Amino acid sequence: MTELPQRGAVWREDIRRRFLAVDTSNVADVLDTLGLPDQGLAPQFAPYPATTGQLAGFAYTIRGQMTPFPLGGDAEKMKACQGVSPGEVTVWSGDGEGICYFGELIAIGMKEKGCVGALVDGGIRDIRWIGEQAFPVYARYRTPVQSIGRWKVNASQVPVLMRGATSRYVEIKPGDFILADDDGAIVIPAERIEEVLAEAERLTAVEVNIRRDLSRGLSLADALAKYGHV
């Protein structure tokens, strides 16, 4: 894996705030033009609660697998969560079905460390209470069934695979950027973050102008003639 230059906290937060001002749809269009058409995640990924708002941050990956073990906790899960840094989104992957990967208390702990949300290729619970924490979570499903005794974390900060929209899986590496909103979730490779963001901002500005002109009475045909396809 190619080593990327280390960026400071100010740069990371600026990037994150700017991504919060663009839509996943524009990002997806930009990725298409760059020859990266399979970065969207499966349509089952949804916000929990539905009012959670956008999710934007740098990927901190956590991987697990179905592993029967005695009740009493998952030390590896706790250890993995301790490594999260400000501006990061925890990305949970694995083979669990019908169980939750985390709930309210882990969300609180991650938020205390500056984590800005979670993307879960599995289930979550305690949704009402997570919502009260203003901690954005996008997951494939919700379930009351805990992971303890069933599913165990076995790695963190490694490349992981998440279910995709146009491909079976999308690879997510530590440091990639995660953006999710009402349209779904998408992954921007770390080495393309600034390039994708700048073009998504340009498209967003064009759309703002189109909506303004339409509200002033310009026809859609004339708007498309003026601005082109977006």
Side-chain angles (χ1 to χ4, degrees):
M1 185 168 60
T2 303
E3 287 293 327
L4 298 172
Q6 294 297 310
R7 302 284 194 160
V10 173
W11 177 86
R12 287 163 64 87
E13 184 58 16
D14 177 64
I15 290 291
R16 199 181 77 81
R17 296 287 182 185
R18 288 166 61 192
F19 264 113
L20 285 169
V22 302
D23 297 331
T24 55
S25 56
N26 282 337
V27 169
D29 291 352
V30 173
L31 289 168
D32 277 350
T33 65
L34 295 177
L36 296 168
D38 298 317
Q39 297 300 115
L41 296 183
Q44 289 78 17
F45 285 91
Y48 290 97
T51 56
T52 197
Q54 283 180 293
L55 173 68
F58 296 86
Y60 179 97
T61 62
I62 298 173
R63 187 186 68 200
Q65 67 183 72
M66 295 299 288
T67 306
F69 63 99
L71 296 178
D74 182 348
E76 289 302 313
K77 180 189 285 188
M78 297 300 102
K79 180 180 177 182
C81 291
Q82 287 303 308
V84 180
S85 299
E88 290 182 325
V89 167
T90 50
V91 175
W92 299 73
S93 68
D95 62 352
E97 289 296 336
I99 59 166
C100 82
Y101 289 4
F102 77 92
E104 175 195 10
L105 297 183
I106 291 182
I108 290 173
M110 291 189 296
K111 183 179 177 181
E112 288 176 348
K113 296 184 69 64
C115 179
V116 292
L119 178 69
V120 187
D121 195 353
I124 64 163
R125 68 180 188 178
D126 304 329
I127 294 167
R128 178 179 20 148
W129 307 114
I130 290 174
E132 291 192 5
Q133 294 297 321
F135 185 79
V137 176
Y138 281 69
R140 265 198 310 117
Y141 58 84
R142 82 254 189 272
T143 174
V145 181
Q146 69 174 343
S147 63
I148 300 301
R150 301 179 175 90
W151 183 88
K152 197 174 184 65
V153 168
N154 59 20
S156 61
Q157 288 298 75
V158 297
V160 298
L161 297 177
M162 306 281 276
R163 288 164 178 80
T166 57
S167 60
R168 185 175 181 185
Y169 291 106
V170 177
E171 183 179 56
I172 302 180
K173 299 176 182 177
D176 287 349
F177 199 87
I178 306 298
L179 184 66
D181 58 22
D182 292 339
D183 290 332
I186 200 158
V187 183
I188 301 96
E191 65 272 14
R192 311 302 287 271
I193 286 173
E194 291 178 294
E195 180 182 12
V196 170
L197 177 55
E199 181 60 13
E201 289 175 326
R202 187 192 69 79
L203 289 180
T204 299
V206 171
E207 289 187 346
V208 168
N209 290 333
I210 290 175
R211 294 186 185 106
R212 179 202 62 205
D213 287 356
L214 290 174
S215 71
R216 293 175 177 174
L218 188 70
S219 71
L220 179 59
D222 286 342
L224 293 177
K226 178 179 179 179
Y227 294 102
H229 172 75
V230 292

